[in-house]
Amino acid sequence: MSLAEKELSNTTVNHANLLELHHVKKYFPIMGGVMRRKVGEVKAVDDVTFSLMKGETLGLVGESGCGKSTTGRMIMRVLDVTEGQIVFDGQDITSVKGERLRRLRQDFQMVFQDPYSSLNPRMSVGALIAEPLIVNKKGSHSQIKDQVVSLLETVGLSAEARIRYPHEFSGGQRQRIAIARALALRPKLIVADEAVSALDVSIQAQILNLLADLRKEFGLSYVFISHNLAVVKHVSDRVGVMYLGRLVELAPKSSLYATPLHPYTQALLSAAPEPSRTVKRERIVLVGDVPSPANPPSGCAFHTRCPKVMEVCRSVRPEMNEYQPGHFVACHLYS
Amino acid sequence: MSEPLLKVSNLKTYFISKYRTVKAVDGVDFEVQKGKVLGIVGESGSGKSMTSLSIMGLIPPPYGKIVEGEIRFEGVDLSKLSEKKMNDVRGNRISMIFQEPMSALNPVLKIGEQIDEVLIRHKRLSKSEARRKSIQLLQSVGFPRAEQIVNEYPHQLSGGMRQRAMIAMAMACEPSILIADEPTTALDVTIQAQVLDLMRDLKEHTGTAIVLITHDLGVVADMADDMIVMYGGQVVESGTADDIFNTPLHPYTNALMESIPVIDEERERLTAIPGTVPSAANFPQGCRFAERCAIAQASCHEKMPELRELQPGHLVRCDLA
C-alpha cells in the first residue's frame, strides 16, 4: 500500500487523526522581466502526505530549503495551499477563510524560532498573552487577567512578569512567553518551528522539558520542525525527513534512528556530530550542495548527491512505500 | 609538553564605560600546541568570542580594552603590539574565520580579488602570481572550477562554498594558527560535515593549529585534541578532550553534557540547568556558576574558586570537584 492510500484509509476508519495532509503542494511563482510575469516556480513543498494522531508529536527534519517551515506555515494556514488538502480535526481547512478561519485557528497555534522578533516589543507581556483571549472574546477583563496569570505560571514565569516588556527577558524566558501566548486559547495542536534553535543548550533543555510537560497537561499534539536530529529524536513519536520539498522517509523514531532506510537519512544521521569521544560513527560525507528548488533534479530529487544512485533514479520519481510496518520510504532501493 | 605556540595568561578584556564595566574576559589562561586543535566551548556570553578577538587584536575601541594579561606568540606579547606590527601578524601568522561568511567577505569584491589582496599584502606577490596562488588555494578547499570562482562575487556562492572560500583566504599565508569562531554554526549538517573534514585535512597537510570556538559539544568531540570550557568570562575546566568528555569534573561541564539530547541514547527527561547566565556587568562575588549549580554550598557563593590541577593536565575551577 502506498503511503497516501494507507493514510487515507486511516481517515475513513480511524478518527484518531488530528491532522492530515493529502498531497499538499506549495509552489511560489518567480516573477521576472519588465512585465513581472511568472517565469518559473519554486517548488517549496511538492506533494507531501502525512497524518498526526491526537496526542502525538511528529518531528519534521531536514536542511534549509527542504520545505519543512513552509509545510508548518500551510498547516497554520498562514500560507495558501497550491494543491492538495489539509484536514484538521475532521474538517477540511484547505480553503477556509475570514471569520471561520479565525475561529478554527484557536485550535492550532504556532511557536516560532526567534522570540526576539515574534513578540511585539511595544506590548507588555500581560497584553501579549491577553491579546488572543481578547480578540476571541474569552471572558471579562478580570477573567482574562486571571487567565494570563495562570498561563504565566504554567510556563514557569512569575505573575509579576505581566507588567514587564519582552526586552527585559532573556531568550529562554521570551520563548516561555511565546509558548504562554500560543497556549492561551487551549489549542489542540502546536506547530513549533525551530522553537529551541536560537537558545543556548542549557536553556534549550528547559524549554524541551516544558513542552513535554505541557503535552501531558493539556493533551497537546505537536508538529515539531527542526534541523537538529538529536532534538527531534528527543521530542517526537514519529519523524518525517524532508529533502527538497518532499518527504523522503517517515517512521516511528525508534526505527528511523536505528535503521534509517533512505540514503539521505543515513547521510544526515552520520553527519550529525555526537558529543562523545567513545562513539565514533562511520561518516557519509555528501558531495555538493542542495539543488535549487526552482529547478529540482528529475526523478528522485536526491539523485545528484546520492552515494547509491541507480539509473532509474535519474528519471523516475520514487513514491512513498511502506517498507516495514509503519516505516515509509521514498527510494527505488526499496521498491 | 613542548613549548606552546600560543600562551594566553591571565587575559582580562573589559568594556569600560562611565556607567559600568563589563568583564567579558576575566582572567583566562590557556595554551595552543603546535598542529593541535583546541576547542573552546561555552554558551553565549561566556566570553569565548571575545577571547579570540583579543588574540587577533580586534577588540572594538574605545570601550573595549585588554586591561591585563599576556598573549605570547612567537616570542612577542600580542597585546602590547602596535597596530602596524599587528597588521603583519593578522591574516598572515594567525588568521580567523567567522560564523557568518556573508558578512565577513566583502560583497562588492570578487572572491579572487579578496584572496589576492592577502597574498599581495603579506607575501608581496605580484598580481598575476597572487591570482595563480588564489586559484590553487580554492582548488585545495575543494572547488572544482576554481578558475571561474575567482571571478564570482560572494552572493553567487552558497553558504558552504562561502565558508570554504573564507578558509582558503585564511589559509593563504599558511598561518601557524587558524582561529575558527563558530565556523559551522550557520551551516546545514551535511555541509558542516564537509567543512569540518576540510579543516581536518588542511591541518594534517599544513600543520596549522586550530582554535575552534563553538557552543556545539558534538563539533568539539569530533575535532578537538584539547579543550577548555568557559563560563562567565572564565575558564572553568581545561584538559584534553578525552579527559573532559570521559570524566567531566566541573558541575557546569557535567550539566552541559547532561542537558543536550543525543542520538545514541534515550533520555527520558533532560537535565536542564536552571536560571540563566549571569550578566558580565554584574558578576556575583563567589563562583559564577554557584547560583545555577546543583551541588553548590554556602562557601561557593562567597569565595571564587581557583583553577586547580586535579589530575595531570586536567584543571578545574571548583572546590567541590
Side-chain angles (χ1 to χ4, degrees):
Chain A
M1 215 187 304
S2 80
L3 173 70
E5 288 161 16
K6 169 101 179 175
E7 301 268 293
L8 275 171
S9 69
N10 277 350
T11 70
T12 48
V13 293
N14 184 354
H15 293 285
N17 283 346
L18 181 65
L19 176 78
E20 289 163 15
L21 272 72
H22 300 291
H23 302 288
V24 168
K25 296 181 184 173
K26 178 69 196 177
Y27 294 174
F28 292 102
I30 305 169
M31 302 299 186
V34 269
M35 304 299 289
R36 310 299 300 159
R37 265 187 308 215
K38 189 173 142 183
V39 293
E41 43 194 12
V42 174
K43 296 179 175 174
V45 173
D46 197 9
D47 201 350
V48 164
T49 298
F50 64 80
S51 63
L52 176 76
M53 283 187 296
K54 287 187 179 125
E56 188 186 31
T57 298
L58 179 79
L60 282 182
V61 267
E63 299 180 283
S64 28
C66 72
K68 56 191 192 299
S69 289
T70 306
T71 305
R73 278 157 198 263
M74 281 192 290
I75 296 170
M76 286 305 296
R77 286 297 323 281
V78 182
L79 283 175
D80 283 329
V81 175
T82 307
E83 224 184 286
Q85 197 189 22
I86 299 179
V87 178
F88 179 80
D89 214 4
Q91 279 195 70
D92 186 342
I93 61 161
T94 321
S95 46
V96 177
K97 283 196 172 59
E99 186 53 34
R100 232 189 110 211
L101 175 62
R102 182 153 54 205
R103 272 206 307 277
L104 281 172
R105 227 185 233 147
Q106 298 181 23
D107 285 340
F108 45 98
Q109 295 285 323
M110 191 156 183
V111 176
F112 298 91
Q113 170 169 1
D114 185 1
Y116 291 79
S117 55
S118 60
L119 297 173
N120 185 340
R122 299 172 66 157
M123 288 170 80
S124 72
V125 169
L128 278 165
I129 300 173
E131 193 181 29
L133 296 165
I134 295 167
V135 168
N136 289 288
K137 304 192 180 65
K138 296 283 175 190
S140 69
H141 186 78
S142 68
Q143 283 169 327
I144 287 179
K145 197 180 138 193
D146 291 344
Q147 285 191 54
V148 169
V149 171
S150 94
L151 281 163
L152 281 169
E153 280 162 3
T154 307
V155 298
L157 293 169
S158 67
E160 166 264 352
R162 227 161 22 95
I163 51 166
R164 292 161 66 194
Y165 286 82
H167 75 265
E168 299 173 64
F169 294 89
S170 67
Q173 289 170 321
R174 279 184 221 215
Q175 204 58 299
R176 288 175 192 271
I177 297 166
I179 292 169
R181 191 174 144 90
L183 280 177
L185 295 166
R186 300 276 178 254
K188 295 174 180 157
L189 169 71
I190 286 187
V191 176
D193 187 0
E194 300 278 11
V196 297
S197 307
L199 306 176
D200 273 319
V201 280
S202 72
I203 309 299
Q204 173 178 296
Q206 295 175 7
I207 300 297
L208 289 175
N209 285 343
L210 173 66
L211 289 173
D213 293 343
L214 295 174
R215 179 182 173 185
K216 270 192 228 128
E217 196 176 336
F218 297 99
L220 288 169
S221 305
Y222 293 113
V223 172
F224 193 93
I225 299 166
S226 177
H227 70 284
N228 188 324
L229 291 147
V231 168
V232 165
K233 179 179 180 230
H234 180 75
V235 300
S236 309
D237 300 309
R238 280 191 305 147
V239 177
V241 182
M242 290 187 71
Y243 186 78
L244 219 59
R246 302 169 188 187
L247 207 51
V248 297
E249 190 161 357
L250 178 67
K253 75 167 164 194
S254 51
S255 76
L256 186 99
Y257 283 86
T259 50
L261 296 176
H262 200 284
Y264 177 63
T265 315
Q266 292 168 354
L268 206 58
L269 279 172
S270 79
E274 279 278 89
S276 159
R277 299 285 278 188
T278 40
V279 184
K280 280 275 168 269
R281 275 202 221 97
E282 185 68 35
R283 185 185 275 168
I284 309 162
V285 177
L286 294 177
V287 286
D289 284 311
V290 181
S292 160
N295 187 17
S298 59
C300 173
F302 186 57
H303 86 248
T304 53
R305 300 171 80 198
C306 184
K308 296 176 182 166
V309 64
M310 303 177 293
E311 204 42 53
V312 60
C313 306
R314 296 179 217 278
S315 51
V316 182
R317 178 171 169 169
E319 290 294 324
M320 269 288 207
N321 233 321
E322 189 169 14
Y323 184 70
Q324 285 150 1
H327 196 144
F328 296 87
V329 60
C331 177
H332 289 303
L333 288 172
Y334 306 98
S335 53
Chain B
M1 223 175 258
S2 60
E3 183 68 6
L5 197 55
L6 177 84
K7 189 173 161 66
V8 173
S9 335
N10 195 28
L11 177 69
K12 292 187 179 177
T13 304
Y14 290 179
F15 287 76
I16 303 164
S17 75
K18 226 158 78 188
Y19 308 102
R20 57 181 194 164
T21 298
V22 174
K23 299 175 177 176
V25 181
D26 201 13
V28 162
D29 301 87
F30 64 86
E31 292 174 358
V32 180
Q33 307 295 336
K34 195 169 180 306
K36 294 277 188 225
V37 178
L38 171 75
I40 303 184
V41 191
E43 298 179 276
S44 33
S46 63
K48 57 193 193 305
S49 288
M50 280 303 152
T51 302
S52 63
L53 292 177
S54 303
I55 299 170
M56 294 298 282
L58 291 174
I59 293 298
Y63 299 116
K65 217 194 253 158
I66 296 177
V67 294
E68 220 184 300
E70 215 184 50
I71 303 168
R72 192 151 283 279
F73 172 72
E74 294 183 341
V76 288
D77 180 2
L78 297 182
S79 68
K80 308 279 186 310
L81 228 49
S82 69
E83 184 58 21
K84 195 159 166 283
K85 287 240 172 77
M86 194 63 210
N87 277 337
D88 289 330
V89 176
R90 206 186 285 137
N92 184 21
R93 307 297 307 133
I94 305 181
S95 59
M96 185 159 179
I97 56 175
F98 299 88
Q99 171 172 349
E100 193 20 89
M102 194 60 212
S103 47
L105 290 166
N106 187 334
V108 297
L109 285 182
K110 291 173 183 163
I111 296 291
E113 292 169 335
Q114 304 193 42
I115 306 179
D116 294 351
E117 194 185 359
V118 180
L119 292 162
I120 294 167
R121 166 68 176 78
H122 291 300
K123 295 286 173 203
R124 313 264 173 239
L125 297 187
S126 71
K127 266 192 172 166
S128 59
E129 286 168 337
R131 178 49 56 97
R132 259 202 307 282
K133 179 87 185 156
S134 296
I135 292 173
Q136 266 176 25
L137 283 162
L138 286 170
Q139 280 164 345
S140 73
V141 296
F143 281 103
R145 31 174 211 108
E147 295 82 358
Q148 285 152 285
I149 297 289
V150 286
N151 287 317
E152 285 183 9
Y153 289 94
H155 76 266
Q156 293 172 287
L157 308 183
S158 69
M161 286 159 85
R162 272 184 224 133
Q163 196 58 288
R164 274 188 277 153
M166 275 291 295
I167 293 175
M169 193 189 305
M171 296 302 289
C173 298
E174 289 165 17
S176 39
I177 301 178
L178 173 70
I179 300 177
D181 189 356
E182 303 273 8
T184 58
T185 306
L187 306 176
D188 281 318
V189 268
T190 61
I191 309 298
Q192 166 171 292
Q194 293 173 1
V195 170
L196 293 180
D197 263 22
L198 170 66
M199 286 172 62
R200 218 187 328 256
D201 280 357
L202 288 174
K203 189 200 80 174
E204 295 301 319
H205 280 108
T206 59
T208 297
I210 297 174
V211 178
L212 179 68
I213 296 160
T214 180
H215 70 283
D216 188 333
L217 285 167
V219 172
V220 184
D222 194 26
M223 296 284 291
D225 300 299
D226 301 308
M227 72 187 270
I228 62 178
V229 181
M230 287 188 71
Y231 189 84
Q234 297 177 322
V235 175
V236 295
E237 185 160 1
S238 83
T240 66
D242 283 330
D243 282 349
I244 295 184
F245 275 100
N246 296 337
T247 48
L249 295 174
H250 198 282
Y252 174 64
T253 316
N254 233 322
L256 211 52
M257 291 187 183
E258 292 294 314
S259 70
I260 43 175
V262 291
I263 291 174
D264 285 320
E265 69 186 84
E266 197 58 47
R267 290 184 171 170
E268 193 52 41
R269 199 173 168 79
L270 301 171
T271 327
I273 308 176
T276 48
V277 180
S279 155
N282 193 13
F283 280 127
Q285 100 186 72
C287 170
R288 288 175 184 173
F289 184 61
E291 222 174 285
R292 308 174 71 192
C293 183
I295 58 166
Q297 298 175 350
S299 59
C300 300
H301 294 275
E302 283 151 23
K303 192 184 133 280
M304 167 75 70
E306 293 292 318
L307 196 62
R308 19 176 220 128
E309 190 164 8
L310 267 195
Q311 287 153 15
H314 193 162
L315 283 72
V316 61
R317 190 188 291 278
C318 177
D319 292 336
L320 306 174

